[in-house]
Amino acid sequence: SSADHAHELGKLRISDAWSKATPPNAKVAGGYFTVENRGGMADRLLRVESASASRVEIHEVSDVGGVARMREVTDGLPLPAGATTALKPGGYHLMFIEPKQPFVEGQKVKATLVFEKAGSLPVVFDVRPLTASGNSGHEHH
């Protein structure tokens, strides 16, 4: 149903796409979503395009000896067959670099996800409050 804002492309189902509101003059904004690969073949998120930012990068946060390191994923984000991959704070996530305007709570940010096999899928990110941490509805007024 469209009620949960899921987007489907072939065997891929993208849900819970959101971004955090940004303070004025922020140089980056985060983007998060969940990809369910319901097919028998692995796919890969190659890149993300959005008119709302200069560019969009895929980043991974990994724990290196107790220190969180962030690195850009340049060879695409693997989406194993039959697996659900969540982009969330503290893990894989998108970085909208140099947003054209601040991301304001309640707005929508449009982007296109480009997959190696499945092709391109337009996705709308809901902008949540700066304090949002994902997966909980209790921060809504």
Side-chain angles (χ1 to χ4, degrees):
S1 73
S2 60
D4 63 353
H5 298 307
H7 306 270
E8 305 218 10
L9 179 67
K11 298 289 184 191
L12 301 180
R13 183 176 187 274
I14 286 81
S15 59
D16 199 30
W18 65 282
S19 181
K20 247 180 224 195
T22 59
N25 307 318
K27 297 282 184 276
V28 295
Y32 314 100
F33 58 90
T34 300
V35 188
E36 192 184 343
N37 183 350
R38 299 191 282 198
M41 255 186 350
D43 205 334
R44 189 177 284 273
L45 176 64
L46 295 180
R47 65 181 184 277
V48 180
E49 297 161 355
S50 176
S52 299
S54 292
R55 66 185 187 279
V56 184
E57 296 177 356
I58 305 167
H59 283 223
E60 176 188 16
V61 177
S62 54
D63 189 322
V64 181
V67 179
R69 297 280 170 92
M70 194 163 76
R71 69 178 185 95
E72 186 181 354
V73 178
T74 50
D75 50 355
L77 174 64
L79 303 170
T84 296
T85 303
L87 283 80
K88 59 185 189 294
Y92 286 114
H93 58 279
L94 302 181
M95 294 299 286
F96 290 86
I97 310 292
E98 293 169 15
K100 297 291 184 353
Q101 284 102 24
F103 286 14
V104 177
E105 180 185 341
Q107 285 186 344
K108 310 274 188 211
V109 174
K110 292 181 180 169
T112 300
L113 309 182
V114 182
F115 299 96
E116 187 172 52
K117 300 195 175 75
S120 299
L121 177 68
V123 171
V124 177
F125 290 78
D126 291 317
V127 181
R128 296 188 186 163
L130 196 51
T131 53
S133 57
N135 345 333
S136 69
H138 63 248
E139 72 261 21
H140 295 299
H141 311 296

